[in-house]
Amino acid sequence: MKKLIIAVICLFSGSIEAKDVALKELRPVMGMFFDLHVEVKTFTPTIVKRFVKLYIDQFDGEKMYLLRDEIEPYLNLSEEKASLILQKIDDNDFSDFFELRQLFCKAIQRSRALRPTSVPNLEKNSSSSSQWSDFATNEKELSQRQYDKFQKFFSYQQKRFGTKLPVEKQNRLFSLIEKKLRFFENIYLSEKESAITTQILKAFAKSLDAHSSFFSDEEAFEMRISLEKQFEGYGVVLSENVDGVFIAGLVKGSPAEECGQIHLQDRLVEIDQASVRDFTFEEVLEAMKKNKRKDITLGFLRENNLVVQVHIEKRPISMQEDRLSYTVEPFENGVIGKLHLNSFYENDKGMNSDKDIREALTAIQKIGPIKGIVLDLRENSGGFLSQAVKVAGIFMSSGVVAVSKYSKGELRYLRNVYPKSTYAGPLVILTSKLSASAAEIVAQALQDYGIAIVVGDERTFGKGSIQYQTVTREDAEIFFKVTVGKYYTVSGRTTQIEGVKADIVVPSEFSYSRCGERYLEYPLPSDHIPDSYQDSLGDLDPPSRTWFEYLYLPHLQNHNSFWTYLLPKLKESSTIRLAHNKKFQVFLEEQKKKDPNEHIMLEKKELNKEDLQLAESLNILKDMIHFESQIKKGSSEKVVLQQKK
């Protein structure tokens, strides 16, 4: 069962559509995944076992529907049973999955009969748990789990409102929970062929590795927005609470914002004059998706129970708020720049993270001489690999930034070819356990060259794999991503599993959470390749090699040992500072009390809340500037200074 979350924030603006995959096309689509995947090239009993397990988990990961004895034949499959299923799959026979689906449908009907039918029923005793490690053994246990789940949800809502909910709101909340459950359950009760094939392909893709996925249209659309930072739509951000679906935000520069008639917390009650008062969040999205026109009329409930109609037209929107942001802080006779990058984005309109950072550095330089930079990559989950290479290139001269290794062992070197860096001063890269993928490439590459000091959690997420995806392709017939390779930085290290290890540990709010590649199902293993500080150009053809020999090799980035030399001093200074920082010590104690297995909810940081991790990274940067200045004034460190370029 999917997590029941009422306060979901979702940007809705439009959609993209793929063709429906027919049952007869399942095996060919799977064959395409195998052709592209870096390691898994065919079905094996091991992959079949994963496939079946994930198909079950996809439906009942919380173990709220199925009984152990009825699902037992599909749990812990023997090699013999897995081989029999494999033979069927090779013949495009997915009868085992159809049998499971029939079992799911029976479990859904049973669950609906066992669920509490009204708010008063929730006054029964609860075991106060909603996480179970095994399937229930009888219907009584299943019934108790239903009650426990509902009660926990009600308790959460009570805390959100800070007071006991009125009876009418309790009834609405109860009805809302039931409707959300049914929305999910109807996916399995549907007899549409595309609904069946989508669930099978989702489980199959995940069986290959932790990051291969098959997407629904809605999931693909959200991923495209995150990668390109642009979309065609209206620009309303919807959320949901016990009162209904309402406006949680308006995208800057969107039709919804510019019309001036839509306000935060407006409750949405009509779409094109049709009532959606009792719709769930998902049903509202479905209703908006059905509108194929360029315009829409939204009705909002205002004072005195009046409904105000607002007409807006769909148009291309750039998500300015999710792009690079920066601030400056005066320091000595210049300024320190603080750059916050949410992702590595790029689109066909010329918007990209590389360009935004270069423009930010130019703007900061006009304010005053740049004494140092903090590049904040916390919670940056990645994006385009090409952008990671270009962003790293801002801070280094020519050289290898990353190396891609594919299924046949072939290596592709991703180089920065600019002979001179845009910025070469003191640099701190701030990371957390949720910094991943392209963010890890930048952090580790600049750490490898000794250009930057990495500050943050002990290690980053640990995603060192490369995915091919179709969600940004206009001609895509189906939407998916598949792991095609692993990347390494110039040292030959991969961030896979291990992540980027911080030079100076300054814990974030995720420091004690069990998050990262190592905790995902079926991650690729970690390994290494030879370093490429002295680029051999071995992957280039003769004409290209000639150009690189004359215009690239003479400007190769040397390894800088200056900050490595100063690292013990920087660590000592930070350790003393944090030990005497009462606020930080209280913060650490709060983190230790958290459940490490608790689901991480990413929310916008409170505006007035002090960012202790960023503050310490600034202190470390100031130490770097100070120590560098001291050494420059002396003469005993000439050898070290000669190594700093």
Side-chain angles (χ1 to χ4, degrees), residues 311-438:
H311 184 81
I312 50 178
E313 293 188 358
K314 186 186 299 183
R315 73 157 188 259
I317 302 170
S318 294
M319 294 180 65
Q320 304 294 336
E321 293 178 353
D322 277 354
R323 293 170 65 179
L324 174 84
S325 61
Y326 69 91
T327 56
V328 296
E329 179 179 311
F331 184 71
E332 295 181 347
N333 63 336
V335 295
I336 285 173
K338 295 174 280 187
L339 310 179
H340 180 71
L341 190 64
N342 289 306
S343 65
F344 291 83
Y345 49 86
E346 181 178 53
N347 65 39
D348 58 7
K349 306 298 182 185
M351 181 201 298
N352 60 66
S353 45
D354 164 52
K355 179 182 176 183
D356 284 351
I357 291 177
R358 292 182 186 276
E359 290 179 351
L361 291 174
T362 299
I364 294 170
Q365 187 68 51
K366 290 178 180 178
I367 299 172
I370 302 177
K371 295 295 181 178
I373 292 290
V374 173
L375 178 59
D376 186 352
L377 299 181
R378 291 174 295 176
E379 291 82 79
N380 184 316
S381 60
F384 287 104
L385 178 62
S386 59
Q387 277 298 304
V389 174
K390 290 179 179 179
V391 168
I394 294 172
F395 305 100
M396 60 180 281
S397 55
S398 297
V400 173
V401 175
V403 183
S404 302
K405 182 180 179 183
Y406 297 96
S407 61
K408 295 179 181 178
E410 66 271 31
L411 301 178
R412 180 187 171 203
Y413 293 81
L414 304 170
R415 302 172 172 91
N416 172 51
V417 298
Y418 292 101
K420 188 178 179 181
S421 62
T422 302
Y423 172 80
L427 174 65
V428 164
I429 298 181
L430 184 55
T431 61
S432 74
K433 276 191 172 182
L434 297 187
S435 303
S437 194

Side-chain angles (χ1 to χ4, degrees), residues 177-194:
I177 297 171
E178 182 64 27
K179 289 183 76 172
K180 281 183 165 293
L181 282 169
R182 287 176 179 263
F183 186 88
F184 163 70
E185 292 166 353
N186 287 342
I187 294 172
Y188 287 91
L189 295 176
S190 171
E191 295 183 3
K192 276 186 67 176
E193 193 168 311
S194 60

Side-chain angles (χ1 to χ4, degrees), residues 54-228:
L54 288 165
Y55 190 68
I56 296 169
D57 288 348
Q58 197 168 261
F59 168 68
D60 194 17
E62 293 184 277
K63 298 177 174 58
M64 294 281 295
Y65 287 90
L66 298 165
L67 293 172
R68 167 155 278 282
D69 62 350
E70 63 191 10
I71 199 67
E72 186 73 49
Y74 291 95
L75 297 176
N76 304 313
L77 290 175
S78 66
E79 289 288 312
E80 182 181 3
K81 175 67 173 175
S83 296
L84 289 173
I85 296 175
L86 188 159
Q87 291 174 21
K88 292 181 185 178
I89 291 174
D90 279 339
D91 293 331
N92 210 51
D93 177 355
F94 292 89
S95 55
D96 290 278
F97 296 88
F98 280 89
E99 288 177 12
L100 276 170
R101 191 179 182 88
Q102 290 175 355
L103 181 60
F104 298 165
C105 291
K106 290 179 181 178
I108 288 169
Q109 299 299 347
R110 176 177 59 209
S111 178
R112 290 180 175 183
L114 293 174
R115 285 204 286 262
T117 55
S118 64
V119 174
N121 289 56
L122 294 179
E123 296 175 0
K124 293 184 178 182
N125 293 331
S126 169
S127 63
S128 68
S129 173
S130 60
Q131 292 183 342
W132 296 274
S133 59
D134 200 359
F135 292 97
T137 57
N138 54 60
E139 289 192 3
K140 184 178 179 180
E141 283 185 36
L142 277 182
S143 180
Q144 184 65 56
R145 292 183 184 190
Q146 298 287 343
Y147 282 108
D148 292 344
K149 189 69 177 178
F150 272 61
Q151 285 185 321
K152 183 176 182 180
F153 190 83
F154 259 70
S155 175
Y156 169 74
Q157 294 300 321
Q158 294 277 81
K159 289 178 182 177
R160 284 187 65 225
F161 284 89
T163 182
K164 187 173 182 179
L165 292 174
V167 173
E168 65 272 14
K169 287 194 176 183
Q170 289 187 35
N171 290 333
R172 170 170 166 73
L173 182 58
F174 188 91
S175 174
L176 192 59
I177 297 171
E178 182 64 27
K179 289 183 76 172
K180 281 183 165 293
L181 282 169
R182 287 176 179 263
F183 186 88
F184 163 70
E185 292 166 353
N186 287 342
I187 294 172
Y188 287 91
L189 295 176
S190 171
E191 295 183 3
K192 276 186 67 176
E193 193 168 311
S194 60
I196 297 170
T197 56
T198 295
Q199 298 307 311
I200 290 175
L201 286 172
K202 278 180 168 294
F204 162 73
K206 286 293 182 187
S207 74
L208 304 181
D209 73 280
H211 297 289
S212 292
S213 300
F214 185 84
F215 299 119
S216 67
D217 293 350
E218 292 77 13
E219 292 165 339
F221 182 64
E222 290 179 14
M223 183 177 175
R224 178 184 286 187
I225 291 175
S226 73
L227 288 171
E228 296 184 342

Side-chain angles (χ1 to χ4, degrees), residues 38 66 99 122 274 276 286 535 556 569 629:
V38 62
L66 298 165
E99 288 177 12
L122 294 179
V276 294
E286 283 291 316
D535 193 349
L556 278 184
K569 284 185 178 181
S629 177

